C-alpha cells in the first residue's frame, strides 16, 4: 500500500486519536484554571461585603439608631439573661471504681 492510500484508509482513525491527545495535553491548563477560580473565591471571602466608605447616609443613620436602641435597652434592663439558663456548678473529681487514674495505671505495668 502506498502512502496516499494509507492516508485515505486511516484518516478516520486519526481524529479520535488526535482529540484524545489534545485533551490530555490541555488537562493541566484546565486544572490550573480551576485552581485560579477557587483561589480567587477564597481570597474574596475574606473581604467584607460592605465597608463604611460605601455606606449611604441613610444606612449610617439607621445603624446609629439601632445602636442607640440597644444601649437604651441595656440601661433599662430590658435585656436580661434567659431564665431557662442555669448557672454551671463546679463539680469536683468523680470517684468511680471503674476509673483508674493514668499515673497509677503506668506504675502497674
Amino acid at each position: 500500500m502506498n502512502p496516499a492510500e494509507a492516508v485515505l484508509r486511516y484518516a478516520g482513525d486519526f481524529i479520535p486519536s488526535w482529540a484524545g491527545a489534545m485533551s490530555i495535553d490541555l488537562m493541566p491548563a484546565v486544572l490550573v484554571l480551576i485552581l485560579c477560580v477557587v483561589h480567587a473565591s477564597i481570597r474574596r471571602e475574606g473581604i467584607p461585603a460592605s465597608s463604611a466608605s460605601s455606606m449611604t447616609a441613610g444606612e449610617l443613620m439607621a445603624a446609629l439608631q439601632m445602636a442607640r436602641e440597644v444601649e437604651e435597652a441595656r440601661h433599662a434592663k430590658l435585656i436580661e439573661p434567659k431564665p431557662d439558663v442555669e448557672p454551671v456548678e463546679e463539680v469536683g473529681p468523680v470517684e468511680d471504681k471503674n476509673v483508674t487514674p493514668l499515673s497509677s495505671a503506668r506504675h502497674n505495668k
Side-chain angles (χ1 to χ4, degrees), residues 53-80:
S53 63
S54 66
M55 201 179 238
T56 64
E59 291 172 340
L60 180 63
M61 291 180 66
L64 289 172
Q65 180 63 30
M66 278 192 265
R68 280 190 212 111
E69 289 173 2
V70 168
E71 285 300 318
E72 289 172 3
R74 281 189 187 149
H75 290 302
K77 302 282 186 190
L78 293 177
I79 300 175
E80 296 177 2

Side-chain angles (χ1 to χ4, degrees), residues 8-89:
L8 292 175
R9 183 170 183 184
Y10 296 112
D13 296 336
F14 174 74
I15 293 179
S17 301
W18 179 81
M22 288 303 292
S23 66
I24 290 171
D25 290 342
L26 293 176
M27 190 176 297
V30 171
L31 293 175
V32 167
L33 180 66
I34 290 170
L35 286 173
C36 288
V37 169
V38 169
H39 182 68
S41 68
I42 289 172
R43 289 190 66 188
R44 221 177 294 128
E45 206 169 283
I47 299 173
S50 64
S51 62
S53 63
S54 66
M55 201 179 238
T56 64
E59 291 172 340
L60 180 63
M61 291 180 66
L64 289 172
Q65 180 63 30
M66 278 192 265
R68 280 190 212 111
E69 289 173 2
V70 168
E71 285 300 318
E72 289 172 3
R74 281 189 187 149
H75 290 302
K77 302 282 186 190
L78 293 177
I79 300 175
E80 296 177 2
K82 294 182 181 178
D84 298 342
V85 178
E86 297 179 11
V88 178
E89 297 178 15

